[in-house]
Amino acid sequence: MSEPQMNTGRLGVWSDPFEFKVERDRAVAYAEATNDPNPRYLDGTMAPPVFAIVPVFDGMIAPLFEVVPDSLIPFVVHGEQDMVFHRPIEPGMTLVSRAKVTGFASKSSGTTVAVKLESRTDGGDLVNEQWMVSFFRGFQAGETVGELAPAHRFPEDLRAAAPLAEVVQHVDDDQTFRYAEASGDPMPIHLDDEFARSAGLPGIIAHGLCTMAFTSRAVIESAADGDPSRLRRLAVRFSRPVLPGQDVTTRIWRRDTTTLAFESTSTTGDVVIKDGLAELTP
């Protein structure tokens, strides 16, 4: 049997635009499902930053598997997410989004594939841009092609200094069920214990994007005076799973006046978020 082949002819090709109506109740539900009590979310003024994944979630899958063979679906994990915010998402908006695979890189343990997404208002104003990096375990593409996602590596020299903040957040026992409903992500590894164990996991695991939302709250409360409109970029690498019932501790260091580096550990001490980067307006 021949090895799966990447379809490089679909690299750089934008998907057809797809629309999403931002409803107040959905945005509030997302904040509640990520344990974020920021009053601007709960009163419907704006959606939480990581809510940006919800309008594009369904539309980013098809372009990915126009490049990656369907046979590799069982081997995919979410590697990284990088969000650039040009303006907050507000209830009542109609977002028009599109997605494209920009490139891939072969590594010793598998292949990373970068998908770029953008969302605009129905009037054409850019709201946010995102990079999603998927990792296909054990698959060797054999080459590096196209444009990869921007780097956001943690500067190791920062560890010599005490962090600006250390924030502990608890992952509730029902967190994955609440997050799945609010986000529209029904992946069974987050909902079905038997399925998760059959996939080699210790049991149900938290959604990576839920953990990312935890880090956004930690950054905004610690370094942005609680004002989510100041967050301009949030980038993470998912390194280990988080289990319901665990605590997530996010340590934040200041790189300069508007740039922060962070990482998060679980109760067991495992680093679950690596290479965290946040950029703020002054």
Side-chain angles (χ1 to χ4, degrees):
M1 182 180 295
S2 62
E3 290 293 320
Q5 298 294 314
M6 304 289 270
N7 179 12
T8 57
R10 296 299 297 174
L11 289 178
V13 179
W14 284 111
S15 69
D16 291 334
F18 48 94
E19 291 190 357
F20 182 91
K21 175 74 171 178
V22 182
E23 298 175 347
R24 179 188 179 280
D25 289 351
R26 183 76 179 272
V28 172
Y30 191 90
E32 293 174 339
T34 55
N35 299 353
D36 197 328
N38 192 299
R40 301 190 190 200
Y41 310 150
L42 299 184
D43 69 8
T45 300
M46 66 176 66
V50 181
F51 180 86
I53 194 63
V54 176
V56 300
F57 185 79
D58 290 336
M60 67 187 180
I61 304 303
L64 177 62
F65 288 102
E66 288 177 356
V67 172
V68 180
D70 290 349
S71 60
L72 297 181
I73 291 175
F75 306 101
V76 65
V77 295
H78 194 171
E80 301 178 35
Q81 194 76 21
D82 188 346
M83 298 180 171
V84 177
F85 309 102
H86 296 277
R87 58 179 290 184
I89 295 176
E90 299 170 355
M93 281 182 170
T94 296
L95 296 179
V96 182
S97 304
R98 58 181 184 165
K100 66 179 177 181
V101 177
T102 62
F104 58 86
S106 188
K107 302 178 182 295
S108 59
S109 55
T111 296
T112 60
V113 182
V115 176
K116 186 173 185 181
L117 305 125
E118 65 170 36
S119 295
R120 297 177 180 269
T121 66
D122 51 3
D125 294 334
L126 188 60
V127 176
N128 60 67
E129 300 169 273
Q130 301 182 55
W131 292 87
M132 179 192 72
V133 177
S134 296
F135 180 68
F136 291 84
R137 296 169 291 153
F139 170 65
Q140 305 299 325
E143 57 184 340
T144 295
V145 179
E147 181 184 5
L148 304 180
H152 48 92
R153 188 171 297 279
F154 187 97
E156 290 299 324
D157 60 319
L158 290 181
R159 297 189 192 281
L164 167 72
E166 182 174 304
V167 180
V168 180
Q169 296 162 286
H170 186 68
V171 182
D172 298 326
D173 290 341
D174 66 345
Q175 195 89 50
T176 63
F177 297 92
R178 290 188 290 117
Y179 186 84
E181 182 175 0
S183 67
D185 182 352
M187 288 285 288
I189 58 172
H190 307 300
L191 304 171
D192 185 322
D193 192 73
E194 183 177 346
F195 183 92
R197 292 180 187 278
S198 73
L201 297 166
I204 286 173
I205 64 171
H207 299 71
L209 286 156
C210 182
T211 307
M212 185 179 184
F214 276 29
T215 70
S216 74
R217 176 185 173 188
V219 165
I220 289 165
E221 291 183 352
S222 301
D225 299 319
D227 182 358
S229 68
R230 291 183 58 196
L231 186 62
R232 283 292 174 261
R233 182 182 178 194
L234 189 73
V236 300
R237 179 159 70 93
F238 305 108
S239 55
R240 296 291 293 273
V242 177
L243 307 181
Q246 291 186 329
D247 288 340
V248 173
T249 301
T250 300
R251 295 176 179 86
I252 303 167
W253 286 262
R254 190 177 295 282
R255 292 178 56 172
D256 56 43
T257 55
T258 58
T259 308
L260 306 161
F262 62 89
E263 67 179 21
S264 302
T265 57
S266 66
T267 303
T268 60
D270 290 329
V271 180
V272 296
I273 295 287
K274 289 185 175 181
D275 298 333
L277 173 69
E279 295 177 0
L280 305 172
T281 57

